[in-house]
Amino acid sequence: MSLAPSILSPVDPPADPYRAAEEAAAALREAAGTDHDIALVLGSGWGGAADLLGETVWEAPADTIPGFRAPAVAGHVGTLRSIRVASTGARVLVLGSRTHFYEGHGADAVVHGVRTAAAAGCRTLVLTNGCGGLEPSWAPGTPVLIRDHLNLTGATPLRGARFVDLTDVYSPRLRQIAHEVDPQLPEGVYAQFHGPAYETPAEVRMAGVLGAHLVGMSTALEAIAAREAGMEVLGISLVTNHAAGISPQPLSHEEVLQAGRDAGPRISDLLARIVERIEVAR
Ligand code: 8IG
């Protein structure tokens, strides 16, 4: 019997997203020949960072592992990589593409990579993104450590009575390590909007009133799923543009990509130096 689509269930969630993640982790283990310690999600502008981390020991298109989708956004890298960090021996699973909430596949699809990483042994998750900045002094190309978030999507990856504590979503310990690498690194609160439209100036002012310094279309849902799975989370944004209304210029995706390209080498180096300092229990 097939069920008619229902307006009460606009997306068809998989029967058990945790089981789907276990299956993906098994496929990943088989393909990569190893489990992992640290998962690294590369957002807009962060694509080059993986190359500095260490030796790539395995690489494949993301959609060769169950539940992963080919990337929907131009400018995003769509591969999964396994890298060994020379200094610590940590095995880093690099998720080179994301499924964004605005693609309409639901929150489970958005966090599948994070849940798979958790099922593949990762106890640490590093989330990166490109975003708009509310702080006028943050020029495009400024990296900002995420201190906390506002989930403004109206959605959650959690189902049922899962009362996950989100007091320290973004690990104070990992933020401390980031600050040891760059004491000047600013911190901010990231607001995840649904997208895919950028915000109106009024929405950016709203986010500011609510305490946000950064606006974007990712990260918060993934961080929630990671905390549910008990992972320690580090979040770093690249401000690729002033949020709408902060500067007189309108936003363009091409400008966003260019800011990412320009900042690439600098933020790749920053990220590599942070990940190299994350000790993993082996
Ligand atoms: I890159 O200004 C990037 N992603 N919501 N707003 C939102 N997402 C973004 C922005 C932005 N820049």
Side-chain angles (χ1 to χ4, degrees), residues 43-45 76 100 102 129-134 190-199 204 214-218 238-244 251-253 255-257 259-260:
S44 306
H76 289 226
H100 285 89
Y102 58 70
N129 63 54
C131 71
L134 274 68
Y190 178 94
Q192 179 176 0
F193 280 80
H194 186 293
Y198 295 125
E199 295 72 30
V204 169
L214 307 162
V215 288
M217 307 179 195
S218 68
L238 173 68
V239 175
T240 58
N241 55 278
H242 292 297
L251 278 57
S252 93
H253 185 57
E255 241 176 326
V256 160
L257 294 180

Side-chain angles (χ1 to χ4, degrees), residues 45-281:
W46 296 89
D51 296 324
L52 300 180
L53 280 177
E55 184 196 354
T56 295
V57 293
W58 172 80
E59 183 167 21
D63 57 5
T64 59
I65 300 297
F68 285 79
R69 295 167 173 279
V73 182
H76 289 226
V77 185
T79 58
L80 297 174
R81 285 166 76 168
S82 180
I83 294 181
R84 185 169 288 276
V85 178
S87 58
T88 59
R91 299 160 305 180
V92 181
L93 175 64
V94 181
L95 305 167
S97 69
R98 275 198 155 94
T99 297
H100 285 89
F101 192 54
Y102 58 70
E103 293 173 52
H105 305 299
D108 284 326
V110 170
V111 305
H112 178 67
V114 168
R115 285 189 174 141
T116 297
C122 296
R123 309 300 301 150
T124 305
L125 174 67
V126 180
L127 293 168
T128 65
N129 63 54
C131 71
L134 274 68
E135 178 61 57
S137 67
W138 292 345
T142 303
V144 178
L145 208 50
I146 301 177
R147 181 174 67 223
D148 201 350
H149 76 222
L150 296 163
N151 172 13
L152 301 183
T153 64
T156 173
L158 312 180
R159 275 191 262 161
R162 297 173 185 266
F163 303 116
V164 177
D165 175 31
L166 299 180
T167 305
D168 281 319
V169 182
Y170 301 92
S171 159
R173 187 184 80 87
L174 295 179
R175 280 154 52 203
Q176 171 66 30
I177 290 173
H179 275 138
E180 282 163 22
V181 172
D182 180 1
Q184 310 300 324
L185 197 58
E187 286 199 0
V189 174
Y190 178 94
Q192 179 176 0
F193 280 80
H194 186 293
Y198 295 125
E199 295 72 30
T200 63
E203 287 163 347
V204 169
R205 286 194 298 275
M206 175 192 78
V209 167
L210 298 181
H213 308 98
L214 307 162
V215 288
M217 307 179 195
S218 68
T219 301
L221 294 176
E222 292 152 277
I224 291 168
R227 292 303 295 148
E228 180 194 32
M231 300 166 103
E232 227 183 336
V233 180
L234 180 70
I236 316 179
S237 288
L238 173 68
V239 175
T240 58
N241 55 278
H242 292 297
I246 299 294
S247 96
Q249 275 126 354
L251 278 57
S252 93
H253 185 57
E254 188 43 49
E255 241 176 326
V256 160
L257 294 180
Q258 191 57 47
R261 283 192 285 268
D262 293 347
R266 204 161 30 84
I267 61 173
S268 295
D269 178 72
L270 170 70
L271 188 59
R273 282 159 58 211
I274 292 169
V275 173
E276 276 164 12
R277 279 171 176 73
I278 300 176
E279 297 287 344
V280 294

